[in-house]
Amino acid sequence: MCSVLVFLQSQTLTNLSMNSQNSRRDFLKKTALATAGASLLPLSSFAQAKRKNKLPAWKGFNLLDFFSHNPDQGRPTKPDYLTWIADWGFDFVRVPISYPSYLDIDRTRPIRPDEVLNFDESRLEKVDQLVEKSIKQGLHVSLNLHRAPGFCINAGFEEPYNLWKDQEALDAFCAHWEMWAKRYKGISSKKLSFDLVNEPFQRENPNDQHSPGGPVDVADYHRVAKAALERIKSVKKSRLVIADGNGGGGIAVPELADLDLSQSCRGYHPFPISHYKAGWVYKDPSTVPPVDWPLPQGEKTLDIDNIRQYYAPWKALIDQGVGVHCGECGCYNQTPHKVFLAWFGDVLQVLKEMEVGFGIWEFSGAFGVMNSGRKDVEYEDWYGEKLDRKFLELLRRQI
């Protein structure tokens, strides 16, 4: 989720993506020239020097109905929202799910290992309903475990084990995906895909939101992704499966290229703009300096060419035949609207050059086109909702 990336991580993201473990070196030797060249090319050359993206360039939004571990605190998608999304020309929704939301458990205490498979049919049916309604509107649905057994990038609660290290957690993770695979076996992969786990990240203390950490060891990520992929494919071989970028979603993972996986990047670079004055990022948001676009950063200025450099490792994945989609992107509502639109227009331009689609973090809410709560927007009344027409039209120009 957008709230989980930390400022320090964002400042080092590009360097991390080019300086990973030894297993990455062979890949980089083969793609270094193409990647470096792509990052420095002007717009026209950058757009032309490419291999076609294997994934469709779906464009749409995340729906947060099951984002909370407590189903009573979900944010139900209004039926009209799906209609508007489709009528406006979008074709994609991502559904990030906290796995306890569909379990029959005691939510007054931390979940126990013996409870993680207590599936509640009545709650699963609510997911079914959202999936069915979305598909009926012609929207591709990406089902994502935002909180999985043993991991969530939004810590602050107690998981009984560690997905990246403990076999018991991996077994439960695979069991959840097997359940979903069987439940939706009859739905075409053209209509439904699975996004394994949101924004892999490894903290020293997985249950402490502020514990230091970084990218998951790629050997651990490969082992977890491979196990879940095999379990899903054992049910439906044609199911499309996606793995999020490492280190909180932003780092391309060429080490997974030997698996039948596409990958999902993020659209939050540079982070000081996308998460300007976000209370979950900064202890004292009032001390955050103003932002502009292009963005001065010390002796350099970040502009669209810097965005291209940031996405160069993702373009290298596409050139290697790996499908790429941007599962989350957007901007918190404290960024000045004019700055947000100027910056995000460049983000969308670079994604378009790579033929990569996107999912805005939410449809209605602080990152959304609807009811964002921005103080510097003249909203359009849209059937009783507050529509950011300028943001909507910026997105629709990409369709």
Side-chain angles (χ1 to χ4, degrees):
M1 175 207 171
C2 49
S3 66
V4 302
L5 299 173
V6 295
F7 180 74
L8 179 60
Q9 173 192 340
S10 72
Q11 295 295 92
T12 60
L13 201 51
T14 302
N15 289 336
L16 281 171
S17 68
M18 303 301 292
N19 295 283
S20 296
Q21 291 83 347
N22 291 338
S23 59
R24 176 172 291 183
R25 291 176 182 167
D26 289 342
F27 175 87
L28 289 180
K29 288 177 181 178
K30 297 176 182 177
T31 61
L33 290 176
T35 301
S39 68
L40 298 176
L41 289 173
L43 186 153
S44 58
S45 297
F46 183 84
Q48 293 171 8
K50 65 184 180 181
R51 179 174 178 175
K52 184 175 176 61
N53 188 1
K54 287 177 62 176
L55 277 186
W58 299 303
K59 300 174 182 71
F61 303 87
N62 282 250
L63 304 177
L64 308 188
D65 302 54
F66 311 105
F67 177 67
S68 172
H69 71 283
N70 187 339
D72 296 330
Q73 297 176 357
R75 294 167 55 181
T77 297
K78 298 179 181 180
D80 284 344
Y81 287 0
L82 296 175
T83 301
W84 296 340
I85 290 171
D87 286 350
W88 285 334
F90 300 99
D91 59 1
F92 173 85
V93 291
R94 180 174 180 261
V95 183
I97 301 177
S98 177
Y99 81 95
S101 71
Y102 56 79
L103 298 182
D104 181 8
I105 56 174
D106 180 355
R107 292 180 172 80
T108 64
R109 55 168 173 73
I111 192 169
R112 301 191 307 255
D114 63 301
E115 297 175 316
V116 298
L117 299 183
N118 289 354
F119 301 129
D120 186 325
E121 181 62 25
S122 65
R123 300 192 189 282
L124 291 172
E125 288 175 356
K126 294 183 182 301
V127 180
D128 296 345
Q129 292 166 11
L130 180 60
V131 170
E132 180 180 0
K133 290 176 181 177
S134 299
I135 291 175
K136 282 185 176 180
Q137 289 289 349
L139 305 172
H140 179 91
V141 178
S142 174
L143 199 69
N144 164 251
L145 283 187
H146 189 278
R147 177 180 172 186
F151 173 72
C152 181
I153 192 152
N154 294 106
F157 42 77
E158 188 173 331
E159 271 294 311
Y161 33 39
N162 185 335
L163 175 60
W164 313 115
K165 299 297 182 182
D166 300 332
Q167 184 61 44
E168 190 177 7
L170 179 55
D171 291 342
F173 181 62
C174 291
H176 276 255
W177 275 120
E178 181 178 13
M179 180 274 294
W180 288 118
K182 290 180 176 178
R183 195 171 190 90
Y184 297 142
K185 184 177 180 179
I187 300 178
S188 166
S189 291
K190 293 181 179 180
K191 299 178 180 180
L192 176 73
S193 59
F194 292 159
D195 182 347
L196 290 178
V197 59
N198 183 71
E199 299 176 353
F201 196 80
Q202 181 62 69
R203 291 187 175 86
E204 290 182 8
N205 180 354
N207 293 317
D208 180 0
Q209 180 73 18
H210 302 290
S211 178
V216 174
D217 181 275
V218 290
D220 288 333
Y221 193 4
H222 190 283
R223 175 176 50 81
V224 169
K226 183 174 185 289
L229 177 66
E230 290 178 346
R231 190 71 67 88
I232 292 168
K233 294 286 190 176
S234 72
V235 177
K236 188 180 183 69
K237 189 174 182 180
S238 63
R239 177 64 63 208
L240 175 59
V241 184
I242 296 172
D244 281 11
N246 204 349
I251 302 175
V253 196
E255 296 87 351
L256 300 182
D258 64 314
L259 302 176
D260 185 15
L261 287 168
S262 292
Q263 294 192 32
S264 178
C265 62
R266 292 295 178 266
Y268 299 131
H269 175 80
F271 197 71
I273 287 185
S274 67
H275 287 66
Y276 180 62
K277 290 190 175 183
W280 62 90
V281 176
Y282 304 98
K283 290 184 178 180
D284 185 1
S286 67
T287 65
V288 178
V291 292
D292 202 351
W293 187 254
L295 178 67
Q297 290 281 278
E299 298 181 355
K300 63 180 180 179
T301 298
L302 306 184
D303 57 14
I304 191 171
D305 286 332
N306 175 263
I307 295 175
R308 291 193 182 100
Q309 292 169 21
Y310 171 82
Y311 283 109
W314 293 95
K315 182 182 179 301
L317 275 184
I318 293 172
D319 290 341
Q320 289 294 305
V322 177
V324 172
H325 186 263
C326 184
E328 287 187 25
C329 55
C331 191
Y332 186 49
N333 64 9
Q334 295 303 301
T335 304
H337 197 240
K338 183 178 180 180
V339 175
F340 157 47
L341 294 181
W343 159 72
F344 201 58
D346 282 351
V347 172
L348 293 175
Q349 173 62 37
V350 175
L351 292 176
K352 186 175 184 178
E353 290 169 12
M354 299 192 299
E355 297 182 342
V356 171
F358 59 81
I360 304 301
W361 168 242
E362 57 191 332
F363 180 72
S364 175
F367 280 71
V369 297
M370 203 76 73
N371 308 312
S372 63
R374 294 181 179 275
K375 297 179 180 179
D376 56 350
V377 173
E378 186 175 342
Y379 290 102
E380 176 181 333
D381 187 312
W382 186 263
Y383 299 96
E385 310 274 346
K386 294 181 177 181
L387 172 63
D388 183 346
R389 173 63 70 174
K390 288 185 178 180
F391 182 21
L392 174 62
E393 293 308 318
L394 176 66
L395 296 177
R396 293 186 69 192
R397 287 197 290 272
Q398 307 302 315
I399 297 174

